[in-house]
Amino acid sequence: RKEVEQDPGPFNVPEGATVAFNCTYSNSASQSFFWYRQDCRKEPKLLMSVYSSGNEDGRFTAQLNRASQYISLLIRDSKLSDSATYLCVVNPMNRDDKIIFGKGTRLHILP
Amino acid sequence: EAQVTQNPRYLITVTGKKLTVTCSQNMNHEYMSWYRQDPGLGLRQIYYSMNVEVTDKGDVPEGYKVSRKEKRNFPLILESPSPNQTSLYFCASSPRQIDSYNEQFFGPGTRLTVL
């Protein structure tokens, strides 16, 4: 099983729809989790951290399922400006382990 | 303004000609890292540094060197660039690697082409 796995997409979604994608991770001892957003040829930027209890920021909701070892991102009422690649990031438990980036899921919001 | 800067932003060079990509952060972060991003392969870590004078190999360190003489700077050195090092490079910094919910701040990227 790959360390962090994401569906590469692309997800083509009409504007206003709700879209969700998951990220699975293999190391059950992983400590913290994030979603980053990356626009074409730009640097990744933090979208939101993922807390054990789940968290919501406006139209965005992130969830963590430790039992099944995945995190999810839900985008409601999608906007054209949500078109981007969404990267899942997993921080390890130990200092000797490495931060792992998923390869990203491409999202296209269609007018 | 809190930021990570990289220079140059774009570079076209030839095989074997030594080059350095600079990275600087003004947030007093302990942790700094270099990544390369290639289509279909995602972000791969080259080297990272937990603090001054402490550097460690990431997943793809071959052909690269780094140094961390000062907290704010973390240059990436390609002693003898080869065409397979053509890529988009990102520098990133973070307060500490291991802490709950530490955000990494990325520089704008350096697009390197080795002919």
Side-chain angles (χ1 to χ4, degrees), chain B residues 4-19:
Chain B
V4 179
T5 56
Q6 293 179 231
N7 281 293
R9 294 289 314 280
Y10 303 90
L11 178 61
I12 300 175
T13 189
V14 296
T15 298
K17 186 176 180 182
K18 181 179 178 179
L19 67 92

Side-chain angles (χ1 to χ4, degrees), chain A residues 87-105:
Chain A
L87 306 174
C88 162
V89 181
V90 176
N91 268 15
M93 173 68 78
N94 301 310
R95 289 180 69 87
D96 293 331
D97 292 334
K98 299 182 176 62
I99 298 169
I100 309 291
F101 279 80
K103 294 180 182 178
T105 296

Side-chain angles (χ1 to χ4, degrees), chain B residues 9 14 64-65 68 72-73 82 89-90 102 108 112 115:
Chain B
R9 294 289 314 280
V14 296
Y64 304 94
K65 286 173 58 176
R68 187 93 182 272
R72 63 182 293 128
N73 296 324
S82 62
Y89 291 86
F90 288 106
N102 258 336
L112 172 66
L115 301 174

